[in-house]
Structure formats: C-alpha cells, structure tokens
Amino acid sequence: MREIAYFMLEPRAREALSIRLGSRALRWETPRLERFLWRGYRVSLYLFPCRLEGTKRLHWWMEQIGSALEEQGTVLWLAPELEAAWEDWQPPLPDAALAAEILRGQPFRENLVLLADAEKTAGQWSRGRENGIRPVSRLWQEDFLRLVSADLNGLYLVGQKEAAWEHFSDWLYEESGLPVCFVNRIPETDGRKTVLVELRANARILKEHPEFGSLYVDLTSDVEKRRQIREKRADISYISARNYLDTALKARYNAI
C-alpha cells in the first residue's frame, strides 16, 4: 500500500485535552503519531505540540523524524504552518494516482491543459530534500492522463513534442475518441470549462493567460505561483497539491 507521512501542529483543543488527561509525563513536548487509511494510502500523521511552535526543539524533531522517513523512501509533506520551521524543505511531486485524486476532488472541467517544459519531456521534475529537482519519467504524465481523461472534451499538452507522445495519443484516441492537441502556449478556451494542471517547477503566470475563470491545479505547490495568482489574477481558482492534502488529511484526523 502507498504511504504518506504528514507533519502538522496538534490542534490546540486536542492538545489541551491531552494535557488534562496526562497519559504520560511531558507528553505535549514530544510529537505524537496517528495512523489511518485515506483514499488507498496509509497515512502516518505526526502531530507536533503547539507549544513547540517557533522553538529550536520543533526544528530538531522535524529534522530527526524527517531524515529517517526519507531514508526509508517515504514521501513527506508538511502542513503550511510548519514551513517556517524547516525552510529548506520542498513539497514533492505527488505520484500520478494522488495527482489524479487531487484533480477529481475539484469541480469537473471538460477541457484539461497539461503544462510541462518541452526540454524536460524525457522526465518531469520531482523535488528531493537534498538533491533539488530530479527527473521523473514521462510515464508519470501518461499514467495521470489515463486516470483523468474520461469525459473530457479537450486535452491540450503545452510544451510537449508530438512525436514523443505518438503511442499514447493513438491509444487514447482509439479508446475514447479524444484527440490530443499539442500547443506551444495555453490555448484560448472557455476558462469556466478549463482546468490547467501545472508541472513546471519554476513557471510564472502571465496576466493575459490563462483564460478568465480557469481552474489552476498546481502540482508543484509553488508558494510564489500562489502569490502571483492572488495578486494578478483573482478570477482564477487556485489549488495546490499541498492545499488539498492539508485540508483532506486534517479533516480525516478530526473525524477520528
């Protein structure tokens, strides 16, 4: 089963309850681990006491646990409130199945625009704590599109070489009758019917693109992209992989 490790601060109400119960001495000064199943993933939720926020002890705990998890190959995510405690951490690229789950969690849009860099067609990016941007096979993109292409009326691949996708585009057309359109820029579509899926690690959004009312799903979880969109394109609905996981996993934990 696929695994996710998630770091977050203990909700203050639950932390206070843990202190009152006093199940063990100084419990609130050490992280607590909760495990549960979510959408086909085994989630290890590490809860750090609120009273550690802003302390060196919080950073130490996160480094210790995070290093051990990454050595095991476990994908690690941090809640936004913990980003200041581990400044060099970068959000990973979700696997194709999780990316598809994130997209399916949004209102359906019949046009899908996949944004990627042409020179990285042989392997889109993935982030690692020490190695920066690492290549990921184009098969990731194909797996993702297989999972989300049902019911689409338009599929546009921006910045991709058509020849490299010939096998996949032929298969998709035979299976569903959906043609793949290869374009060099974001196409002019009805933004209210369009979702853009971002795979470009360092891309910046132009004022004139995407179209008005588009849904923008940022799988890079780039804080700078979020800031730019909020400042320049308030008409665009923005969601990142990190936003989605933070909401979904905290809701699942609160339901326990």
Side-chain angles (χ1 to χ4, degrees):
M1 180 176 287
R2 295 165 297 178
E3 296 191 3
I4 293 175
Y6 196 75
F7 288 4
M8 62 176 274
L9 287 177
E10 178 91 24
R12 294 189 184 279
R14 289 207 176 193
E15 183 185 48
L17 177 60
S18 296
I19 294 173
R20 290 198 302 271
L21 292 175
S23 60
R24 62 188 174 96
L26 302 180
R27 176 180 179 178
W28 54 92
E29 292 186 355
T30 60
R32 185 162 61 86
L33 176 60
E34 292 277 358
R35 289 191 172 97
F36 53 80
L37 299 179
W38 173 81
R39 307 293 173 84
Y41 288 84
R42 182 184 293 111
V43 179
S44 297
L45 188 65
Y46 290 84
L47 297 144
F48 295 84
C50 291
R51 63 181 291 169
L52 293 183
E53 187 172 8
T55 67
K56 292 181 179 180
R57 185 174 178 82
L58 174 61
H59 178 79
W60 183 86
W61 272 117
M62 292 174 64
E63 286 274 3
Q64 293 295 309
I65 299 173
S67 297
L69 289 170
E70 289 179 341
E71 286 179 4
Q72 299 168 13
T74 302
V75 177
L76 173 62
W77 293 81
L78 302 187
E81 66 266 19
L82 288 176
E83 62 185 15
W86 196 351
E87 294 181 355
D88 61 344
W89 177 85
Q90 295 290 342
L93 182 75
D95 61 46
L98 179 56
E101 182 67 39
I102 292 168
L103 183 59
R104 286 193 292 261
Q106 312 311 313
F108 176 74
R109 303 286 181 101
E110 63 183 43
N111 299 315
L112 190 154
V113 180
L114 187 66
L115 304 170
D117 293 321
E119 62 270 23
K120 296 178 182 177
T121 301
Q124 285 305 322
W125 66 274
S126 168
R127 280 172 171 160
R129 179 166 167 262
E130 296 179 352
N131 299 324
I133 296 175
R134 300 196 301 266
V136 172
S137 170
R138 192 185 70 248
L139 292 175
W140 183 100
Q141 297 174 64
E142 295 183 2
D143 289 342
F144 170 72
L145 292 174
R146 286 189 180 95
L147 292 169
V148 301
S149 58
D151 300 323
L152 290 178
N153 287 329
L155 175 57
Y156 304 86
L157 303 190
V158 178
Q160 296 287 13
K161 297 178 180 179
E162 185 173 356
W165 287 80
E166 183 176 1
H167 176 73
F168 174 79
S169 57
D170 288 347
W171 171 85
L172 184 61
Y173 187 74
E174 291 174 3
E175 288 291 317
S176 64
L178 178 67
V180 182
C181 300
F182 296 87
V183 292
N184 294 322
R185 53 179 287 176
I186 296 174
E188 295 181 2
T189 60
D190 185 344
R192 294 165 298 180
K193 298 180 180 180
T194 302
V195 56
L196 299 100
V197 177
E198 179 67 89
L199 289 172
R200 301 170 303 175
N202 300 308
R204 293 295 173 257
I205 296 300
L206 301 177
K207 290 183 179 180
E208 66 271 22
H209 297 294
E211 296 296 327
F212 181 91
S214 297
L215 170 62
Y216 187 92
V217 178
D218 180 15
L219 295 180
T220 74
S221 300
D222 188 329
V223 174
E224 179 62 17
K225 288 195 191 81
R226 180 182 62 188
R227 184 191 66 79
Q228 286 194 350
I229 288 176
R230 288 179 175 176
E231 289 182 359
K232 300 177 181 179
R233 293 297 306 273
D235 61 287
I236 294 175
S237 298
Y238 176 90
I239 182 72
S240 72
R242 193 176 181 190
N243 296 150
Y244 179 86
L245 282 176
D246 187 57
T247 300
L249 297 183
K250 285 178 179 176
R252 176 66 179 83
Y253 166 65
N254 289 332
I256 296 176

mmCIF file of all heavy atoms in Angstrom, residues 196-221:
data_model
loop_
_atom_site.group_PDB
_atom_site.id
_atom_site.type_symbol
_atom_site.label_atom_id
_atom_site.label_comp_id
_atom_site.label_asym_id
_atom_site.label_seq_id
_atom_site.Cartn_x
_atom_site.Cartn_y
_atom_site.Cartn_z
ATOM 1 N N LEU A 196 -6.234 23.830 -15.689
ATOM 2 C CA LEU A 196 -4.822 23.771 -16.033
ATOM 3 C C LEU A 196 -4.083 23.021 -14.934
ATOM 4 O O LEU A 196 -4.255 23.327 -13.746
ATOM 5 C CB LEU A 196 -4.229 25.169 -16.193
ATOM 6 C CG LEU A 196 -4.867 26.018 -17.292
ATOM 7 C CD1 LEU A 196 -5.857 27.005 -16.675
ATOM 8 C CD2 LEU A 196 -3.816 26.753 -18.095
ATOM 9 N N VAL A 197 -3.279 22.035 -15.328
ATOM 10 C CA VAL A 197 -2.506 21.244 -14.373
ATOM 11 C C VAL A 197 -1.032 21.595 -14.568
ATOM 12 O O VAL A 197 -0.470 21.384 -15.639
ATOM 13 C CB VAL A 197 -2.743 19.736 -14.576
ATOM 14 C CG1 VAL A 197 -1.871 18.935 -13.610
ATOM 15 C CG2 VAL A 197 -4.217 19.404 -14.363
ATOM 16 N N GLU A 198 -0.432 22.151 -13.540
ATOM 17 C CA GLU A 198 0.915 22.706 -13.620
ATOM 18 C C GLU A 198 1.974 21.700 -13.185
ATOM 19 O O GLU A 198 1.946 21.174 -12.072
ATOM 20 C CB GLU A 198 1.004 23.948 -12.737
ATOM 21 C CG GLU A 198 2.367 24.619 -12.713
ATOM 22 C CD GLU A 198 2.729 25.221 -14.066
ATOM 23 O OE1 GLU A 198 2.387 26.384 -14.305
ATOM 24 O OE2 GLU A 198 3.361 24.493 -14.869
ATOM 25 N N LEU A 199 2.947 21.433 -14.090
ATOM 26 C CA LEU A 199 4.085 20.574 -13.780
ATOM 27 C C LEU A 199 5.409 21.312 -13.905
ATOM 28 O O LEU A 199 6.462 20.723 -13.698
ATOM 29 C CB LEU A 199 4.104 19.365 -14.735
ATOM 30 C CG LEU A 199 3.017 18.320 -14.537
ATOM 31 C CD1 LEU A 199 3.053 17.311 -15.678
ATOM 32 C CD2 LEU A 199 3.168 17.610 -13.211
ATOM 33 N N ARG A 200 5.362 22.595 -14.255
ATOM 34 C CA ARG A 200 6.590 23.358 -14.464
ATOM 35 C C ARG A 200 7.057 23.939 -13.133
ATOM 36 O O ARG A 200 6.392 24.758 -12.544
ATOM 37 C CB ARG A 200 6.342 24.461 -15.487
ATOM 38 C CG ARG A 200 5.879 23.939 -16.852
ATOM 39 C CD ARG A 200 5.417 25.068 -17.744
ATOM 40 N NE ARG A 200 4.335 25.836 -17.116
ATOM 41 C CZ ARG A 200 3.810 26.932 -17.643
ATOM 42 N NH1 ARG A 200 4.263 27.396 -18.789
ATOM 43 N NH2 ARG A 200 2.831 27.564 -17.015
ATOM 44 N N ALA A 201 8.239 23.515 -12.723
ATOM 45 C CA ALA A 201 8.711 23.859 -11.384
ATOM 46 C C ALA A 201 8.902 25.349 -11.167
ATOM 47 O O ALA A 201 8.643 25.863 -10.096
ATOM 48 C CB ALA A 201 10.019 23.119 -11.101
ATOM 49 N N ASN A 202 9.363 26.068 -12.181
ATOM 50 C CA ASN A 202 9.704 27.482 -11.981
ATOM 51 C C ASN A 202 8.892 28.418 -12.859
ATOM 52 O O ASN A 202 9.313 29.539 -13.131
ATOM 53 C CB ASN A 202 11.203 27.688 -12.257
ATOM 54 C CG ASN A 202 12.069 26.858 -11.329
ATOM 55 O OD1 ASN A 202 11.899 26.914 -10.113
ATOM 56 N ND2 ASN A 202 12.965 26.076 -11.897
ATOM 57 N N ALA A 203 7.732 27.970 -13.310
ATOM 58 C CA ALA A 203 6.923 28.774 -14.232
ATOM 59 C C ALA A 203 6.293 29.966 -13.512
ATOM 60 O O ALA A 203 6.051 29.931 -12.312
ATOM 61 C CB ALA A 203 5.842 27.918 -14.863
ATOM 62 N N ARG A 204 6.021 31.000 -14.286
ATOM 63 C CA ARG A 204 5.317 32.159 -13.767
ATOM 64 C C ARG A 204 4.089 32.418 -14.641
ATOM 65 O O ARG A 204 4.130 32.227 -15.850
ATOM 66 C CB ARG A 204 6.234 33.386 -13.747
ATOM 67 C CG ARG A 204 7.377 33.237 -12.740
ATOM 68 C CD ARG A 204 6.856 33.174 -11.315
ATOM 69 N NE ARG A 204 7.910 32.875 -10.349
ATOM 70 C CZ ARG A 204 8.091 31.691 -9.782
ATOM 71 N NH1 ARG A 204 7.305 30.681 -10.119
ATOM 72 N NH2 ARG A 204 9.041 31.506 -8.905
ATOM 73 N N ILE A 205 3.018 32.850 -14.035
ATOM 74 C CA ILE A 205 1.767 33.070 -14.739
ATOM 75 C C ILE A 205 1.721 34.477 -15.327
ATOM 76 O O ILE A 205 1.984 35.465 -14.630
ATOM 77 C CB ILE A 205 0.576 32.850 -13.787
ATOM 78 C CG1 ILE A 205 0.554 31.392 -13.332
ATOM 79 C CG2 ILE A 205 -0.735 33.204 -14.455
ATOM 80 C CD1 ILE A 205 0.408 30.396 -14.470
ATOM 81 N N LEU A 206 1.391 34.567 -16.619
ATOM 82 C CA LEU A 206 1.253 35.863 -17.270
ATOM 83 C C LEU A 206 -0.128 36.441 -16.998
ATOM 84 O O LEU A 206 -1.090 35.708 -16.779
ATOM 85 C CB LEU A 206 1.460 35.711 -18.777
ATOM 86 C CG LEU A 206 2.817 35.127 -19.218
ATOM 87 C CD1 LEU A 206 2.844 34.961 -20.728
ATOM 88 C CD2 LEU A 206 3.967 36.000 -18.747
ATOM 89 N N LYS A 207 -0.227 37.772 -17.062
ATOM 90 C CA LYS A 207 -1.502 38.423 -16.780
ATOM 91 C C LYS A 207 -2.590 38.020 -17.769
ATOM 92 O O LYS A 207 -3.756 37.892 -17.411
ATOM 93 C CB LYS A 207 -1.317 39.946 -16.788
ATOM 94 C CG LYS A 207 -0.514 40.481 -15.608
ATOM 95 C CD LYS A 207 -0.441 41.993 -15.653
ATOM 96 C CE LYS A 207 0.335 42.524 -14.461
ATOM 97 N NZ LYS A 207 0.428 44.010 -14.473
ATOM 98 N N GLU A 208 -2.207 37.817 -19.043
ATOM 99 C CA GLU A 208 -3.210 37.523 -20.068
ATOM 100 C C GLU A 208 -3.547 36.036 -20.186
ATOM 101 O O GLU A 208 -4.445 35.668 -20.926
ATOM 102 C CB GLU A 208 -2.733 38.057 -21.429
ATOM 103 C CG GLU A 208 -1.501 37.363 -21.983
ATOM 104 C CD GLU A 208 -0.194 38.007 -21.528
ATOM 105 O OE1 GLU A 208 -0.210 38.707 -20.480
ATOM 106 O OE2 GLU A 208 0.812 37.810 -22.211
ATOM 107 N N HIS A 209 -2.828 35.188 -19.497
ATOM 108 C CA HIS A 209 -3.091 33.750 -19.544
ATOM 109 C C HIS A 209 -3.027 33.202 -18.124
ATOM 110 O O HIS A 209 -2.212 33.637 -17.327
ATOM 111 C CB HIS A 209 -2.056 33.040 -20.427
ATOM 112 C CG HIS A 209 -2.085 33.450 -21.853
ATOM 113 N ND1 HIS A 209 -3.143 33.199 -22.677
ATOM 114 C CD2 HIS A 209 -1.175 34.122 -22.601
ATOM 115 C CE1 HIS A 209 -2.883 33.672 -23.884
ATOM 116 N NE2 HIS A 209 -1.707 34.246 -23.852
ATOM 117 N N PRO A 210 -3.828 32.277 -17.758
ATOM 118 C CA PRO A 210 -4.848 31.547 -18.516
ATOM 119 C C PRO A 210 -6.107 32.392 -18.752
ATOM 120 O O PRO A 210 -6.178 33.538 -18.347
ATOM 121 C CB PRO A 210 -5.164 30.354 -17.622
ATOM 122 C CG PRO A 210 -4.136 30.367 -16.547
ATOM 123 C CD PRO A 210 -3.659 31.771 -16.416
ATOM 124 N N GLU A 211 -7.095 31.751 -19.373
ATOM 125 C CA GLU A 211 -8.340 32.438 -19.671
ATOM 126 C C GLU A 211 -9.118 32.750 -18.389
ATOM 127 O O GLU A 211 -8.949 32.095 -17.360
ATOM 128 C CB GLU A 211 -9.207 31.587 -20.605
ATOM 129 C CG GLU A 211 -8.585 31.345 -21.971
ATOM 130 C CD GLU A 211 -8.407 32.624 -22.769
ATOM 131 O OE1 GLU A 211 -9.246 33.534 -22.619
ATOM 132 O OE2 GLU A 211 -7.434 32.722 -23.539
ATOM 133 N N PHE A 212 -9.976 33.732 -18.467
ATOM 134 C CA PHE A 212 -10.789 34.166 -17.324
ATOM 135 C C PHE A 212 -11.582 32.988 -16.745
ATOM 136 O O PHE A 212 -12.215 32.230 -17.467
ATOM 137 C CB PHE A 212 -11.756 35.268 -17.767
ATOM 138 C CG PHE A 212 -12.621 35.796 -16.655
ATOM 139 C CD1 PHE A 212 -12.206 36.884 -15.907
ATOM 140 C CD2 PHE A 212 -13.834 35.197 -16.344
ATOM 141 C CE1 PHE A 212 -12.990 37.375 -14.869
ATOM 142 C CE2 PHE A 212 -14.625 35.677 -15.312
ATOM 143 C CZ PHE A 212 -14.203 36.768 -14.569
ATOM 144 N N GLY A 213 -11.529 32.833 -15.429
ATOM 145 C CA GLY A 213 -12.326 31.823 -14.747
ATOM 146 C C GLY A 213 -11.745 30.428 -14.739
ATOM 147 O O GLY A 213 -12.410 29.484 -14.295
ATOM 148 N N SER A 214 -10.499 30.259 -15.190
ATOM 149 C CA SER A 214 -9.896 28.926 -15.232
ATOM 150 C C SER A 214 -9.650 28.387 -13.822
ATOM 151 O O SER A 214 -9.505 29.146 -12.859
ATOM 152 C CB SER A 214 -8.566 28.970 -15.989
ATOM 153 O OG SER A 214 -8.740 29.338 -17.337
ATOM 154 N N LEU A 215 -9.605 27.063 -13.752
ATOM 155 C CA LEU A 215 -9.184 26.370 -12.524
ATOM 156 C C LEU A 215 -7.721 26.007 -12.706
ATOM 157 O O LEU A 215 -7.346 25.401 -13.712
ATOM 158 C CB LEU A 215 -10.028 25.126 -12.299
ATOM 159 C CG LEU A 215 -9.569 24.151 -11.203
ATOM 160 C CD1 LEU A 215 -9.576 24.817 -9.837
ATOM 161 C CD2 LEU A 215 -10.447 22.905 -11.202
ATOM 162 N N TYR A 216 -6.887 26.362 -11.736
ATOM 163 C CA TYR A 216 -5.437 26.146 -11.836
ATOM 164 C C TYR A 216 -5.013 25.185 -10.721
ATOM 165 O O TYR A 216 -5.063 25.528 -9.541
ATOM 166 C CB TYR A 216 -4.730 27.494 -11.697
ATOM 167 C CG TYR A 216 -3.246 27.477 -11.935
ATOM 168 C CD1 TYR A 216 -2.722 27.723 -13.206
ATOM 169 C CD2 TYR A 216 -2.365 27.231 -10.891
ATOM 170 C CE1 TYR A 216 -1.346 27.730 -13.415
ATOM 171 C CE2 TYR A 216 -0.997 27.233 -11.095
ATOM 172 C CZ TYR A 216 -0.488 27.487 -12.357
ATOM 173 O OH TYR A 216 0.866 27.480 -12.556
ATOM 174 N N VAL A 217 -4.621 23.973 -11.111
ATOM 175 C CA VAL A 217 -4.184 22.955 -10.151
ATOM 176 C C VAL A 217 -2.661 22.879 -10.218
ATOM 177 O O VAL A 217 -2.093 22.381 -11.193
ATOM 178 C CB VAL A 217 -4.817 21.580 -10.454
ATOM 179 C CG1 VAL A 217 -4.307 20.534 -9.472
ATOM 180 C CG2 VAL A 217 -6.345 21.682 -10.374
ATOM 181 N N ASP A 218 -2.022 23.367 -9.192
ATOM 182 C CA ASP A 218 -0.559 23.468 -9.161
ATOM 183 C C ASP A 218 0.022 22.269 -8.417
ATOM 184 O O ASP A 218 0.032 22.220 -7.193
ATOM 185 C CB ASP A 218 -0.163 24.773 -8.481
ATOM 186 C CG ASP A 218 1.343 24.964 -8.416
ATOM 187 O OD1 ASP A 218 2.056 24.235 -9.138
ATOM 188 O OD2 ASP A 218 1.797 25.830 -7.656
ATOM 189 N N LEU A 219 0.531 21.297 -9.152
ATOM 190 C CA LEU A 219 1.108 20.112 -8.521
ATOM 191 C C LEU A 219 2.507 20.375 -7.981
ATOM 192 O O LEU A 219 3.056 19.545 -7.265
ATOM 193 C CB LEU A 219 1.127 18.946 -9.513
ATOM 194 C CG LEU A 219 -0.254 18.455 -9.957
ATOM 195 C CD1 LEU A 219 -0.119 17.303 -10.941
ATOM 196 C CD2 LEU A 219 -1.110 18.031 -8.762
ATOM 197 N N THR A 220 3.090 21.534 -8.309
ATOM 198 C CA THR A 220 4.395 21.891 -7.752
ATOM 199 C C THR A 220 4.260 22.546 -6.380
ATOM 200 O O THR A 220 5.256 22.708 -5.674
ATOM 201 C CB THR A 220 5.144 22.871 -8.683
ATOM 202 O OG1 THR A 220 4.550 24.170 -8.601
ATOM 203 C CG2 THR A 220 5.112 22.373 -10.123
ATOM 204 N N SER A 221 3.049 22.960 -6.024
ATOM 205 C CA SER A 221 2.791 23.623 -4.732
ATOM 206 C C SER A 221 3.744 24.796 -4.506
ATOM 207 O O SER A 221 4.283 24.991 -3.414
ATOM 208 C CB SER A 221 2.900 22.617 -3.582
ATOM 209 O OG SER A 221 1.963 21.579 -3.724
#
